[in-house]
């Protein structure tokens, strides 16, 4: 890495001058060959002696001066770079070609078999001499720098850096070979109950309104019905019960319809009256007997065969004229008032009754003479 250190022009020239001033012959050491290209130029005699380029050139022993070097530099000293340049410029100015004393020597030594990795660099630097084109100082220095530092001289010449490797390539082999991580599957989260939508709330609100409205309606309806019933009861209380009794007076037909000794029972159920054509105290009369037992109010039955009224409750018996003769009855049956109506029919008035024990049967309203 130290060999590739960039050398300035001053350093190169100083190194060349120092080597010239010392009169040392160029060595085949790697350091000298890299920093001074002209030192690597072999002498003409070296081309004839391939042994001079043996690997022994790498030995630190200094090389022997060649006849070419003695020829190019009088007095045995090798010409410095400055001298070479000055000589070349002087020849260029005079229109002469550079002396072939040096160029051919360089050209002849370039293909020497002793060219190693170190010896080939000066051959590249002296390429201009091979072609015979005169080079200026700048090109020579550039060639020397290129030989001294093969790397890029500017940012633009620098090769582009390789793209950064992906991180996976940096990972160790074990990590790469590791099985892929298995993602633990979490149990499914419990499903949250869906939020009640606005429509459900409205439906419930509407339902509550309807229910409350229905309850209130039912309450008001029940209250109204109760009030109506109370009003009807009050009205019924204001009007007392009235028995739909038959009229107290009713007609039973003509006298001919009641034969002598006959007891008509057809008005018992409707009017509670027996119509009798019988004999009472030697007088034939038509009279109306009340069908109520004088004992406790039961209804006696007419027994045609026995010619008597018989009470089924306690056994009281009554004759055809209504006088009691057996049982607990204390007195005779009662009579209703009877009269002949304007149309000739017999009319019975139940509003008036006549009792025998009171002598009321003697009343002409209590009978009709036949
Ligand atoms: Fe007729 Fe008692 S009610 S006998």
């Amino acid at each position: 890495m130290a060999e590739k250190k960039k050398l300035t022009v001053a350093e190169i020239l100083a190194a060349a001058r120092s080597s010239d001033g010392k009169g040392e012959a160029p060595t085949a050491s790697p350091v000298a060959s890299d920093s001074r290209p002209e030192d690597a130029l072999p002498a003409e005699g070296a081309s004839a002696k391939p042994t001079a380029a043996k690997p022994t050139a790498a030995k630190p022993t200094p090389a022997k001066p060649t006849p070419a070097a003695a020829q190019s530099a009088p007095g045995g000293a090798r010409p410095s770079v400055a001298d070479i340049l000055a000589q070349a410029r002087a020849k260029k100015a005079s229109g002469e070609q550079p002396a072939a004393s040096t160029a051919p020597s360089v050209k002849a030594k370039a293909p020497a078999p002793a060219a190693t990795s170190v010896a080939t660099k000066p051959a590249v630097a002296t390429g201009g001499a091979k072609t015979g084109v005169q080079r200026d100082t700048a090109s020579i220095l550039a060639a020397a720098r290129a030989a001294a530092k093969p790397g890029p001289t500017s940012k633009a010449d620098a090769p582009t850096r390789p793209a950064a490797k992906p991180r996976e390539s940096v990972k160790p082999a074990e990590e790469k070979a590791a099985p892929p991580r298995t993602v633990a599957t979490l149990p499914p989260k419990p499903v949250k109950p869906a939020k009640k939508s606005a429509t459900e709330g409205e439906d419930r609100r509407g339902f509550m309104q309807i229910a409350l409205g229905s309850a209130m309606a039912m309450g008001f309806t029940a209250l109204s019905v109760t009030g109506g019933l109370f009003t009807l009861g009050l009205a019924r209380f204001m009007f007392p019960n009235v028995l739909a009794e038959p009229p107290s007076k009713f007609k039973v037909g003509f006298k001919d319809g009641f034969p002598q000794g006959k007891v008509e029972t057809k008005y018992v159920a409707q009017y509670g009256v027996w119509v009798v054509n019988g004999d009472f105290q030697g007088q034939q009369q038509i009279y109306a007997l009340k069908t109520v037992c004088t004992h406790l109010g039961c209804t006696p039955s007419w027994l045609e065969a026995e010619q008597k009224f018989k009470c089924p409750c306690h056994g009281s018996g009554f004759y055809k004229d209504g006088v009691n003769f057996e049982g607990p009855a204390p007195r005779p049956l009662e009579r209703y008032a009877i009269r002949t109506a304007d149309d000739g029919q017999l009319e019975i008035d139940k509003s008036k009754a006549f009792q025998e024990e009171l002598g009321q049967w003697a009343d002409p309203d209590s009978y009709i003479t036949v």
Side-chain angles (χ1 to χ4, degrees), residues 293-300 311-318 327-329:
C293 178
T294 54
H295 177 220
L296 293 178
C298 291
T299 302
C311 182
C313 294
H314 306 99
S316 299
F318 303 89

Side-chain angles (χ1 to χ4, degrees), residues 19-370:
S19 60
D20 293 339
K22 291 177 181 178
E24 294 178 353
T27 61
S29 63
V31 175
S33 63
D34 291 342
S35 60
R36 291 178 300 178
E38 60 278 11
D39 292 342
L41 296 175
E44 290 181 1
S47 61
K49 298 179 179 178
T51 54
K54 290 181 179 179
T56 53
K59 292 180 180 179
T61 55
K64 295 179 180 179
T66 60
Q71 186 179 356
S72 59
R78 186 177 181 180
S80 63
V81 175
D83 297 339
I84 296 170
L85 293 175
Q87 184 179 0
R89 286 168 184 165
K91 289 181 179 179
K92 183 179 181 182
S94 61
E96 296 179 356
Q97 291 297 329
S101 60
T102 56
S105 63
V106 174
K107 184 177 180 180
K109 291 183 178 179
T116 60
S117 60
V118 177
T120 53
K121 291 180 180 179
V124 175
T126 57
K130 290 179 181 179
T131 56
V133 178
Q134 190 174 7
R135 301 178 63 186
D136 55 0
T137 305
S139 61
I140 294 168
L141 293 175
R145 286 171 181 166
K149 184 180 180 183
T153 56
S154 63
K155 187 175 182 180
D157 296 337
T160 56
R161 292 184 177 178
K165 295 181 180 178
R167 297 186 64 181
E168 294 179 358
S169 61
V170 180
K171 293 180 179 179
E174 296 179 359
E175 188 174 352
K176 287 182 179 179
R181 292 183 178 178
T182 57
V183 179
T185 56
L186 298 175
K189 295 182 178 179
V191 179
K192 295 182 178 178
K195 293 184 177 178
K196 296 178 181 178
S197 62
T199 55
E200 289 185 1
E202 292 178 356
D203 292 343
R204 178 174 295 179
R205 209 174 298 121
F207 172 75
M208 293 300 293
Q209 290 178 353
I210 292 172
L212 292 175
S214 300
M216 293 180 68
M218 292 174 65
F220 279 114
T221 303
L223 183 62
S224 300
V225 171
T226 304
L229 293 176
F230 178 77
T231 303
L232 290 175
L234 184 61
R236 180 67 181 86
F237 177 77
M238 297 301 291
F239 296 94
N241 294 329
V242 178
L243 296 176
E245 294 181 353
S248 59
K249 294 182 180 178
F250 56 91
K251 294 180 179 177
V252 295
F254 296 98
K255 290 183 181 177
D256 300 339
F258 299 97
Q260 188 175 359
K262 177 73 176 172
V263 177
E264 185 60 46
T265 60
K266 63 179 180 183
Y267 300 106
V268 173
Q270 184 176 4
Y271 296 107
V273 175
W274 288 293
V275 179
V276 179
N277 187 354
D279 180 65
F280 180 65
Q281 296 178 356
Q283 188 182 6
Q284 192 69 30
Q285 302 178 347
I286 298 177
Y287 50 84
L289 292 178
K290 187 177 178 179
T291 59
V292 176
C293 178
T294 54
H295 177 220
L296 293 178
C298 291
T299 302
S301 300
W302 168 249
L303 301 177
E304 184 64 25
E306 297 179 7
Q307 294 292 311
K308 65 175 182 182
F309 298 100
K310 185 67 175 180
C311 182
C313 294
H314 306 99
S316 299
F318 303 89
Y319 293 119
K320 185 183 289 185
D321 55 6
V323 176
N324 57 304
F325 67 94
E326 63 179 351
R331 57 184 179 89
L333 297 175
E334 297 178 359
R335 292 183 181 182
Y336 286 124
I338 186 171
R339 75 178 180 91
T340 302
D342 297 339
D343 58 355
Q345 294 188 47
L346 302 177
E347 183 181 43
I348 301 173
D349 185 4
K350 293 180 62 176
S351 61
K352 190 176 180 180
F354 299 93
Q355 297 180 2
E356 190 278 332
E357 68 271 20
L358 297 176
Q360 294 176 348
W361 285 9
D363 191 338
D365 292 339
S366 63
Y367 64 92
I368 294 176
T369 306
V370 178

